[in-house]
Amino acid sequence: MKTPKVTARAHTNIALVKYWGKADEELIIPQNNSLSLTLDHFYTDTTVQFDPTLTADQFTLNGQAQKTTKITKFLDIIRQMAASQLFARVESTNHVPTMAGLASSASAYAALALAGSKALGLDLNSKDLSRLARRGSGSACRSIYGGFVEWQKGDSDQTSYAVPLVENLDWDLKMIAIVVNDKQKKIASRAGMQTVVHTSPYYSAWVKRSKEDLLALKQAIAEKDFTQLGKIAEGNAMCMHALNLSATPHFNYFEAESLKAMQLVEQLRDQGLECYYTMDAGPNVKVICQGKDLKAIVDSLSQEFSNEQLLVASAGPGAEILEIKNSER
Ligand code: ADP
Ligand code: DP6
Ligand code: CO
């Protein structure tokens, strides 16, 4: 018998203290805790149905058939948890550029963890959903929750999961994504961080620094200190990119337009408009600011970038089920 057809939605999250390196590559246990903000503007919708008539998993992304290797490995974990041998049809739509450093893997695997586990009748609590999503993509464990979220690294499958810090923000934070290139990056996050852990001479300094940043950022969040939050996020992101520059072989995610965007943010700051940048594994720059300054900052940025390149996000919610359709057999 076919299982119910379950659709889930999860939003992306952008880390202010980044995850950049694994301690366990198979289980996806990170080297350091990370802290992110879930965003309302970018998300993935994923529908899963397990079906006894299928002889293999099927996966479409934005309507196009995809290879199923990664998805099947992930579904195997859910199948094992539910003691099922059924294959699944997975249909996913990204409302975020795929593999462009805007965290599509985070929303993708959070949505798939929720839809897939629910379809097989598992009723996982948030902690176990976070642990499951982590196995698909580390950053996905944070997208189970809305608002500010910390991924506590732990040291085992049982102990590595995200916890919500502030689910409903009562301060008006905005993140402006400057999309300089929405094409797929050459170096996936997984490969990039692996090279760094194995070869950067600065890796241990990064682990130490990220611990300090995490503590200071949690304090800034508790005190709603925007200046501190922005400074820590910007510095932490540049440290992560310095690891890439110091790896063997060295690599980076910067494009000319990324540097232009960052310089512009610095100029705006010099002019008294408070904003900070962060960048992930891709060329797109995200600008963090307060709602009161949003219009002035977007107006300035639009002198250099088109309106289609400037996408404004606020804090977003955790993963949710959108629909459960029971099959007619
Ligand atoms: P990003 O910066 O977008 O998170 P990553 O380097 O982490 O990029 O890689 C994205 C990974 O997530 C790729 O393996 C890609 O195929 C996968 N992915 C992206 N969107 C989806 C989706 N909706 N469903 C399943 N997998 C997805
Ligand atoms: C730079 O979670 O995409 O966005 O666990 O290998 O799937 P895998 O990597 P992924 O890495 C995200 C890296 C980052 C920083 C962050 O989101 O914390
Ligand atoms: Co990713």
Side-chain angles (χ1 to χ4, degrees):
M1 202 172 106
K2 289 181 189 175
T3 66
K5 189 170 176 178
V6 180
T7 304
R9 174 172 294 177
H11 290 77
T12 62
N13 69 78
I14 295 298
L16 304 179
V17 169
K18 312 274 185 205
Y19 147 55
W20 198 239
K22 296 175 177 66
D24 184 320
E25 291 180 2
E26 180 54 30
L27 291 172
I28 311 198
I29 316 279
Q31 290 265 0
N32 60 276
N33 290 20
S34 52
L35 199 163
S36 60
L37 181 65
T38 302
L39 300 181
D40 62 353
H41 189 86
F42 303 105
Y43 58 92
T44 297
D45 286 344
T46 298
T47 302
V48 181
Q49 182 173 42
F50 292 84
D51 180 342
T53 67
L54 294 177
T55 53
D57 294 320
Q58 292 177 1
F59 170 40
T60 64
L61 176 55
N62 300 336
Q64 305 226 317
Q66 309 283 317
K67 280 202 305 193
T68 52
T69 328
K70 242 182 118 179
I71 291 277
T72 291
K73 195 173 166 211
F74 184 74
L75 292 173
D76 283 345
I77 300 170
I78 304 180
R79 280 187 276 259
Q80 197 182 11
M81 290 167 80
S84 167
Q85 290 176 354
L86 299 179
F87 292 110
R89 199 173 292 108
V90 176
E91 291 163 5
S92 189
T93 308
N94 278 347
H95 298 264
V96 55
T98 302
M99 228 181 143
L102 286 161
S104 70
S105 67
S107 52
Y109 279 95
L112 184 60
L114 180 54
S117 60
K118 193 79 186 176
L120 275 187
L122 297 169
D123 236 332
L124 301 183
N125 60 31
S126 299
K127 174 177 141 182
D128 289 340
L129 269 176
S130 178
R131 288 177 46 231
L132 174 61
R134 191 199 79 231
R135 303 286 300 272
S137 179
S139 54
C141 78
R142 299 185 309 240
S143 274
I144 298 302
Y145 299 101
F148 285 119
V149 182
E150 180 181 357
W151 176 6
Q152 300 183 340
K153 71 183 179 81
D155 58 9
S156 63
D157 177 45
Q158 295 295 327
T159 56
S160 185
Y161 51 84
V163 296
L165 293 180
V166 185
E167 287 214 79
N168 298 303
L169 264 65
D170 59 349
W171 56 335
D172 195 10
L173 275 188
K174 300 284 177 193
M175 204 174 268
I176 309 162
I178 306 181
V179 181
V180 309
N181 186 348
D182 63 4
K183 301 287 169 318
Q184 298 201 2
K185 57 184 132 178
K186 291 198 186 73
I187 302 175
S189 302
R190 189 151 302 178
M193 68 175 84
Q194 188 183 41
T195 302
V196 154
V197 173
H198 291 134
T199 67
S200 171
Y202 308 138
Y203 200 78
S204 58
W206 159 261
V207 173
K208 181 168 173 282
R209 164 75 183 255
S210 63
K211 262 188 207 149
E212 294 160 8
D213 284 347
L214 191 99
L215 274 179
L217 180 59
K218 284 170 90 164
Q219 190 176 344
I221 289 171
E223 291 169 0
K224 287 197 215 161
D225 183 338
F226 178 69
T227 303
Q228 270 305 103
L229 176 142
K231 281 185 178 166
I232 294 161
E234 194 175 287
N236 183 270
M238 292 304 103
C239 269
M240 174 195 130
H241 290 277
L243 291 178
N244 303 342
L245 295 172
S246 64
T248 307
H250 59 84
F251 62 99
N252 70 79
Y253 293 105
F254 299 133
E255 291 187 12
E257 296 274 288
S258 324
L259 297 174
K260 186 168 103 179
M262 291 191 277
Q263 281 167 4
L264 221 80
V265 168
E266 287 169 15
Q267 278 169 23
L268 290 177
R269 219 151 58 205
D270 288 345
Q271 292 162 18
L273 270 178
E274 198 174 11
C275 51
Y276 300 87
Y277 52 77
T278 183
M279 251 184 90
D280 292 276
N284 302 306
V285 174
K286 292 119 227 173
V287 182
I288 310 157
C289 69
Q290 298 174 96
K292 68 179 176 62
D293 299 322
L294 179 69
K295 190 176 176 314
I297 291 169
V298 170
D299 283 351
S300 297
L301 293 174
S302 47
Q303 292 174 11
E304 297 292 336
F305 299 98
S306 71
N307 285 337
E308 296 76 59
Q309 287 179 285
L310 300 174
L311 306 174
V312 178
S314 307
E320 57 181 341
I321 302 270
L322 294 185
E323 192 180 38
I324 301 181
K325 262 199 214 161
N326 286 310
S327 70
E328 320 78 57
R329 294 180 195 208

